[in-house]
Amino acid sequence: MAHIRTTAASPAELAGLLERHAYLCDDGLATACFLALRMGRPLFLEGEAGVGKTELAKTLAAVLDAPLIRLQCYEGLDASQALYDWDFPRQLLHLRAAEAAGVTDVARLEGELYHRRFLLARPLLQALETTPSVLLVDEVDRADDEFEAFLLEVLSDFTISVPELGTVRAEAPPAVVVTSNRTREVHDALKRRCLYHWLEHPTFDREVAIIRRRLPDAAGRLAGQVARAAQRLRAADLLKPPGVAETLDWAEALVALGARDLDPGTAAVTLGTVLKYREDQQRVRAAGLGALLDGG
């Protein structure tokens, strides 16, 4: 079965294409992404929230010039919410119109009610019917075990059965990115179907580069101060350490305020852009913002 190809001939070339769209990745992630595309396998990305898993899928869609179709997982998600549903209000209107027109052929009317135009495609069906496409199954660890088993079945052969219409098979399977924040362990069977990569928080130098790439107006000194403070916050005992997204929010807020440096005063008034729990802010303030910024 044919699958989406990338113009990149190597992981390094793919990393370069991702960088053109402002996504900086290391050799390990570039290689995993390249192999997933070349081998036609889903890419399973695991790591703490905010390390860039979802952003990779978005950037990959831009690189492949393909629409991103996102399935956001949550507790209680079932097959109908991920696959398809019938548009009952439109079916009812069609039925009433047929009755008003005097249609009495029951078999014909039933066939019309289950026409493709009345089918609401949810993310999984959309991805199979859209070529090319990138399917993002986001935070699969939030879904139930039953949905995980169902997802494995879909990813195994990229076909979906609609009893009233027949089997829908992808002309070319989408590029698939599955993410997990590891709030629970995902079953081995799903991981075996995928290529796996664990995303760490970026190193200090890479985080500075990310800030400069995403926020050209951020001075080099300010970017370094923000990245260093973020690294120290992750090393602290916090309920929710900041991810790269929060680092970028912090830097953007400082640029918007016209700050040239990150000092205790500016840190105090912008702490809500990087720490989203009151307890974390209290802990950091109690330890002293000067200690957080010392050496910056």
Side-chain angles (χ1 to χ4, degrees):
M1 184 182 291
H3 50 267
I4 294 179
R5 292 275 185 171
T6 173
T7 57
S10 68
E13 285 191 24
L14 181 58
L17 292 174
L18 291 169
E19 185 174 354
R20 290 182 193 175
H21 292 272
Y23 189 95
L24 305 183
C25 63
D26 58 24
D27 294 341
L29 179 56
T31 300
C33 191
F34 175 81
L35 291 175
L37 292 173
R38 184 58 60 93
M39 297 166 65
R41 299 280 292 278
L43 177 60
F44 191 102
L45 298 177
E46 202 164 39
E48 295 182 27
V51 293
K53 302 184 295 295
T54 300
E55 194 63 29
L56 175 65
K58 294 178 180 178
T59 310
L60 187 61
V63 167
L64 296 174
D65 192 23
L68 176 72
I69 299 173
R70 180 174 181 171
L71 173 60
Q72 180 63 52
C73 297
Y74 53 87
E75 185 177 354
L77 176 66
D78 61 28
S80 66
Q81 294 163 316
L83 274 179
Y84 66 88
D85 207 350
W86 289 103
D87 191 342
F88 295 116
R90 286 190 63 201
Q91 287 176 315
L92 183 59
L93 285 174
H94 180 77
L95 182 61
R96 288 176 176 172
E99 289 176 344
V103 176
T104 58
D105 188 337
V106 177
R108 171 193 160 190
L109 188 56
E110 183 176 345
E112 290 177 349
L113 285 176
Y114 289 100
H115 190 274
R116 178 64 183 83
R117 71 179 183 273
F118 294 120
L119 192 70
L120 297 174
R122 304 304 185 192
L124 291 181
L125 181 57
Q126 289 176 19
L128 265 59
E129 291 185 324
T130 306
T131 302
S133 65
V134 174
L135 171 63
L136 168 62
V137 182
D138 214 7
E139 298 183 325
V140 70
D141 53 317
R142 294 183 179 273
D144 302 325
D145 291 350
E146 292 78 8
F147 179 78
E148 196 177 310
F150 160 74
L151 179 63
L152 175 62
E153 182 180 349
V154 173
L155 296 183
S156 295
D157 55 12
F158 293 100
T159 61
I160 290 173
S161 177
V162 182
E164 298 85 354
L165 297 178
T167 299
V168 178
R169 178 174 285 103
E171 180 181 327
V176 181
V177 177
V178 182
T179 76
S180 169
N181 294 337
R182 208 172 190 179
T183 58
R184 70 169 177 86
E185 288 295 335
V186 174
H187 288 188
D188 290 343
L190 181 57
K191 286 187 175 181
R192 284 198 302 269
R193 180 69 186 85
C194 308
L195 299 187
Y196 177 87
H197 188 79
W198 174 269
L199 263 72
E200 300 279 0
H201 286 291
T203 63
F204 169 75
D205 289 339
R206 184 171 295 277
E207 192 152 21
V208 171
I210 291 171
I211 295 171
R212 296 300 306 280
R213 185 70 175 80
R214 291 295 185 95
L215 300 169
D217 292 337
R221 175 176 170 80
L222 180 63
Q225 291 173 326
V226 171
R228 185 175 291 105
Q231 299 268 327
R232 288 172 176 169
L233 287 172
R234 291 179 195 128
D237 184 22
L238 300 179
L239 295 173
K240 176 61 176 68
V244 177
E246 285 77 27
T247 303
L248 290 169
D249 285 345
W250 202 6
E252 185 177 1
L254 294 166
V255 170
L257 291 172
R260 302 293 299 176
D261 288 289
L262 179 60
D263 55 44
T266 55
V269 296
T270 58
L271 206 54
T273 62
V274 68
L275 296 179
K276 307 302 173 68
Y277 283 84
R278 177 170 174 264
E279 294 86 349
D280 286 344
Q281 293 187 17
Q282 289 176 329
R283 186 173 291 117
V284 169
R285 286 193 170 98
L289 290 173
L292 177 66
L293 309 175
D294 183 45

